[in-house]
Every structure is written in structure tokens, then in C-alpha cells.
Amino acid sequence: MLNVKTIPLFSAPIANTGLDFLKPIENVLNSHWYILGEQVNKFEEEFSDYVGVQHCISVANGSDALELALKGLGVQPNDRVVAVANAGFYGSTAIHAVGAAPLYIEIDPVSLTLCPKSLSKVIDTKPSAVIVTHLYGQLANIEEVIKIASAAGVPVLEDCAQSHGARRNGKQAGSFGTVACFSFYPTKNLGALGDGGAVVTNDSELAAKIKQLRQYGWSQKYQVAIPGGRNSRLDEMQAAILRMKLPHLDNWNAQRRSIAKRYNDAFSGLDMQLPSSVGEDYVGHLYVVRVKNRSAFAAALKEQLISTDIHYPIADHNQPAYAAPQTTSLEETERACETVISLPCFPGLTDEEVKRVISAVTAYFFKEK
Ligand SMILES: *Cc1c(COP(=O)(O)O)cnc(C)c1O
């Protein structure tokens, strides 16, 4: 294995190869305007066009986007918000931040996203909102979720932090629900060179409210029109960088998807569960498989200098800070947390490296037998 380097799970230098970041940064420096200026305005316009919605309100990060979206929807302390428990606690953090309580429901064991049947079982209890996470880049069964929630008058929030650009029947992640949230954390499919986030919606009133909430609740300078305001703004540098990267997003997603497709083809006969789709409703944010003996599998790959990670090892309802007796069974969720493991999948991963991952995974299963 002389001169063989470890294959990372994600690499910023490789994913950002060929991009000239100095130009957009220089433009901002020369403008001497750093917060809520031309770059932010233009990015908000370009990103809402990309998603196919009316409004985009950029914010400081994806977690703030979730929190401000819940506040915008009018979620109050002690309200209940439906969420899944296998999505890294991000939705839960926002739910707790507004003083509400998560109402966890089951996932679909194949797509690993929110199970519409489980939603049907709790929708009559009138939760204040439903958060749907398009986990790993896979669009959930959002059409069915919206059917169930709208019939009960419950708004749907899409968490698109892992699914920028995923689409089904011409509609894109973030354009289905009442409101949707994005993160531009550097490792996301559209990543800044720091933190960033956005809320998108077709609802003009909601957009206006969230715009006020992101800046102290101001309707205009120094006039606090609504309570619960914050400071959560995207800055001009990040906006300029995101504007430069946005036109590449579909191409990067196609690269991720094509790696995932090669994996799926190569692994089809092996004893593991593969991503349920490598079509355009999946943008390969993470390539996640499920295996029986996860630690042995991870160790075998590590020996072959291949990085893996677990997204996510602890279900939200079992997190030590918030653990509370769960009244409904979350068996599928817990089983997923015990068996999921992520393999390298990002734009710029070479054919050679994809082959190395395939050989190592295949060899593991043949040795096991
Ligand atoms: C990354 C992520 C977030 C949080 O975004 P930040 O910008 O890191 O705050 C929210 N939801 C999901 C599903 C994520 O993957």
C-alpha cells in the first residue's frame, strides 16, 4: 500500500478545485459593504429562482433557518412539532429553541425518511407543524406528507440542508412545503466558506415576518415591530461565494449521483441495504448503506485506508441532554441508527478511488462468508 492515501469522506480542497474565490471576495472588499447588501439581495433572488419559489430570506446558518421558520409559522412554547429522530438532532434543536416539544414519529425503513403512515397516526392530535428532513439528499415522500398535513391544516417545513437540488416531477426540494430551510455549511451540496443558511417560501406574509425576525424584529431601522427577533444574517462575502458556486450545483449533484450509482450497481448482490434511489430525487449528499456488523465493516474499510462515518449514531429521543420516555415505538428509527454507515461520495472523487471503495467493500463481504 505504498503511497496510497486515505480516501476522505469529504474534501473541501477537492470539491472546490478550479474555483477562483479571490474575485468574489475582492468585489466585496472593494464595495466596503459587508452585511445585507447587493450580494445578499442577488443571492436571495438567484437561489429562490433556482428552488422555484417566490421568496428567499438568507440567514446565518441552517439551524437558525429552522428556528426562524418555526417562529415564523407561529410555533409557541409548549406546542408540539412532528419530526423524525434519525436526522442528527438539527430539527430537534430548533424545536427546543422555540420552547416547543418534539413529537417523534417513525421513519420508512427503505428511504430512511419520515413515514407518512406514522404521520397519519398522530395528525389528529393537531401538532403545530411537521418537519420533514430530506435525509442524505433523498427527497422524502413529501407529496403524501403534505396531503396528510394539509387535510388537518398543519404546515409542513422541509429541512433541505442535505438536499439542495433534489427534484421529483419537475419540483425541487424546498418548493413543496409551506416553508423550507437550507444550510450552506462548507460540506453541504452547496457550501459557503463559512456558515450560511436560508429560508424559502411562497407565502409573502411569512417571508416578511421571517425577514423581520432575522434582524431584531425590525420593520425598519430601530423600530421593533414583532417580538422574538434575532440577529441572523448571511454576510456579503459568503453570499458572493455562494453566487459563484450556485451555477455549478446541478453538475456537482450529477457527479455525486453518478458515484452513488456506481456503488449501487457494484453492491447490488451484497448483504447490505443500499440507498433507495439514485435518480434525480437523490443528490448524494451522503452515500449511506446499512450493514449488520457495522464495526467490523468500518474496521475493514479503515484498514484499506477508506474513511467512513455514522450519520447518525444516537437517535434524537436518546440524546442524553433531552432523553425522555418515548410513548410510541421508534423501533425502525433505532434499528437505522445501529446499522447506517456512510461511504465517501463527493464531487472530485476519482474513478480510481471509487474502484478502491468498491473493492474494499466487496472484499469484506467475501471474506466474511
Ligand atoms: C447541516 C444540517 C443542519 C444545520 O445546518 P447548520 O448550518 O450547520 O446550522 C440542519 N439540518 C440538517 C439535516 C443538516 O444536515
Side-chain angles (χ1 to χ4, degrees), residues 106-163:
E106 270 289 29
I107 55 163
D108 174 284
V110 176
S111 71
L112 305 180
T113 58
L114 190 146
C115 168
K117 268 199 195 123
S118 299
L119 178 62
S120 295
K121 287 186 198 151
V122 300
I123 201 74
D124 287 339
T125 68
K126 296 275 173 206
S128 301
V130 177
I131 299 180
V132 179
T133 305
H134 302 305
L135 196 66
Y136 310 143
Q138 173 62 53
L139 264 194
N141 188 350
I142 186 73
E143 296 90 342
E144 197 57 32
V145 167
I146 286 173
K147 225 183 268 168
I148 296 162
S150 341
V154 178
V156 173
L157 185 167
E158 298 177 72
D159 183 346
C160 305
Q162 303 190 355
S163 61

Side-chain angles (χ1 to χ4, degrees), residues 173-188:
S175 69
F176 293 89
T178 313
V179 65
C181 298
F182 289 85
S183 163
F184 306 120
Y185 183 78
T187 64
K188 308 291 186 182

Side-chain angles (χ1 to χ4, degrees), residues 1 4-5 7 299-306 356 360 367:
M1 293 289 272
V4 176
K5 277 200 229 140
I7 302 176
L301 292 196
K302 192 175 177 198
E303 207 167 284
Q304 298 299 315
L305 303 182
I306 293 162
R356 263 179 63 198
K367 223 178 272 164

Side-chain angles (χ1 to χ4, degrees), residues 234-247:
L234 185 71
D235 68 69
E236 287 281 290
M237 298 256 188
Q238 300 305 339
I241 284 153
L242 288 167
R243 288 188 68 206
M244 176 194 164
K245 292 182 81 171
L246 181 57

Side-chain angles (χ1 to χ4, degrees), residues 299-322:
L301 292 196
K302 192 175 177 198
E303 207 167 284
Q304 298 299 315
L305 303 182
I306 293 162
S307 307
T308 62
D309 202 352
I310 295 163
H311 300 94
Y312 299 88
I314 304 175
D316 290 15
H317 61 288
N318 290 329
Q319 286 291 357
Y322 291 96

